[in-house]
Amino acid sequence: MSRVQAALDELGTALRGIEGFDPDKFDIDRLVGALPDEMIRKLVKPIADAKEWERTHKFDLLFPDEGQYRRELYPRHKEFFEVGKTFRQRCFMAANRVGKTVAGSYELCAHLTGEYPNWWEGREFRSATDGWAAGDTNETTRDIIQKELLGEIDFSSGQKRFDGTGMIPKDKIGRITWKSGVQDLVDTVLIKHRTGKWSRLGLKSYDQGRRVFQGTAKHFIWLDEECPLAVYEECLVRTATTNGIIILTFTPLLGLSETVMQFMPSDMRPGG
């Protein structure tokens, strides 16, 4: 049962407890008009709170035990997560609109927060992590990866923040550093880890070249959309000393490219 449904059930119980309440003659407009404002706020608040929680906790609602989106309906996603315990490099190569980006963002959220679901059998990091997520260009990184992870930009608090409608829960999003020269694109963002420390996520793009992927060691790197082989090789170096992981999620629109060939069985390669 969802939090909203539970709140609605509680509201029904509260209404039935009002003296003189008759469900057969129930008139919502008359009831609202008769109740004091404070009582209305008290009755509605649990529903509003539940809706806001579900809106800003996408990660907690995905791959449930049962229901329309139960994880048994997504065996490829589950397999992709599980083999991470064995393999440092993984590729989710599939057609468009099958949930590749969802798989990548879901796993990154788990590594950043340390909040692994009880059914998780893949790779785990027990302390705060430092990683990257990257896409084709700054613009696609902002419009696809950033949105999937952090949600929409929100100014309601008087500051430039995120509304938390992405994969990472709103209450886990910490200090944000914005990238100069690109409107509304994150450079780095801190994510609250279950240990109380802060994980760090940086956003990058392939069109910046191999040079921007040089630097410090990383625990994980997510490459959404096919990347140049030079970028992929640099990412291997960045994760070598941490025994870190690299995950790729893309549709092979470029055919049998050098990157695609890294994940093809030898007997399926040209000349194999």
Side-chain angles (χ1 to χ4, degrees):
M1 180 185 298
S2 71
R3 290 195 175 205
V4 173
Q5 185 59 54
L8 287 170
D9 289 347
E10 289 184 11
L11 175 59
T13 301
L15 289 173
R16 287 189 291 273
I18 297 176
E19 184 177 354
F21 177 77
D22 184 350
D24 295 328
K25 299 179 180 179
F26 180 63
D27 184 334
I28 185 63
D29 294 327
R30 182 178 179 183
L31 175 65
V32 171
L35 292 175
D37 291 345
E38 183 61 32
M39 176 62 75
I40 294 173
R41 284 193 290 269
K42 184 177 180 179
L43 290 172
V44 173
K45 187 177 185 305
I47 300 174
D49 289 347
K51 290 186 68 174
E52 178 63 12
W53 187 92
E54 291 189 358
R55 190 180 76 92
T56 59
H57 287 75
K58 182 178 179 180
F59 178 86
D60 296 279
L61 301 176
L62 285 178
F63 306 115
D65 295 338
E66 55 188 22
Q68 184 179 0
Y69 301 106
R70 60 192 182 279
R71 62 182 173 277
E72 71 175 15
L73 300 178
Y74 300 90
R76 294 303 184 193
H77 291 68
K78 193 167 182 289
E79 179 185 11
F80 180 70
F81 299 144
E82 289 175 357
V83 297
K85 193 168 187 176
T86 305
F87 299 99
R88 286 188 52 230
Q89 307 164 51
R90 279 173 290 146
C91 178
F92 197 142
M93 192 188 316
N96 286 317
R97 312 301 299 173
V98 299
K100 302 182 302 296
T101 300
V102 170
S105 62
Y106 188 88
E107 177 157 346
L108 248 69
C109 180
H111 296 324
L112 287 165
T113 63
E115 301 287 351
Y116 298 95
N118 56 15
W119 52 265
W120 186 266
E121 297 181 15
R123 178 67 182 274
E124 295 185 20
F125 295 94
R126 289 305 178 185
S127 58
T129 55
D130 186 358
W132 288 334
D136 288 329
T137 67
N138 282 326
E139 288 73 22
T140 57
T141 298
R142 176 193 62 200
D143 298 342
I144 299 174
I145 297 175
Q146 177 176 288
K147 183 178 179 180
E148 185 67 31
L149 288 169
L150 301 166
E152 300 282 359
I153 292 176
D154 177 35
F155 291 91
S156 62
S157 66
Q159 295 180 315
K160 189 178 182 179
R161 302 287 300 172
F162 286 98
D163 65 0
T165 54
M167 196 65 70
I168 299 172
K170 184 177 183 179
D171 54 10
K172 300 287 187 180
I173 301 174
R175 181 171 58 84
I176 301 167
T177 302
W178 300 95
K179 194 179 294 288
S180 60
V182 185
Q183 185 176 7
D184 297 336
L185 175 61
V186 166
D187 184 25
T188 61
V189 57
L190 298 183
I191 305 299
K192 194 72 170 180
H193 191 268
R194 66 187 299 271
T195 60
K197 296 183 178 180
W198 292 95
S199 294
R200 180 188 301 272
L201 174 67
L203 299 186
K204 295 186 177 296
S205 64
Y206 311 151
D207 65 354
Q208 293 177 288
R210 177 173 185 158
R211 180 184 57 81
V212 302
F213 289 86
Q214 297 173 347
T216 58
K218 299 297 171 185
H219 295 101
F220 62 81
I221 299 175
W222 172 31
L223 304 172
D224 189 48
E225 298 306 338
E226 187 174 349
C227 68
L229 185 60
V231 168
Y232 178 66
E233 290 174 340
E234 192 62 45
C235 291
L236 287 175
V237 176
R238 301 282 70 80
T239 56
T241 58
T242 63
N243 193 32
I245 59 174
I246 301 174
I247 59 177
L248 295 88
T249 54
F250 65 86
T251 300
L253 300 177
L254 303 178
L256 291 176
S257 66
E258 291 179 305
T259 303
V260 168
M261 296 284 280
Q262 303 300 307
F263 295 93
M264 296 289 288
S266 59
D267 60 350
M268 295 181 64
R269 299 177 186 177

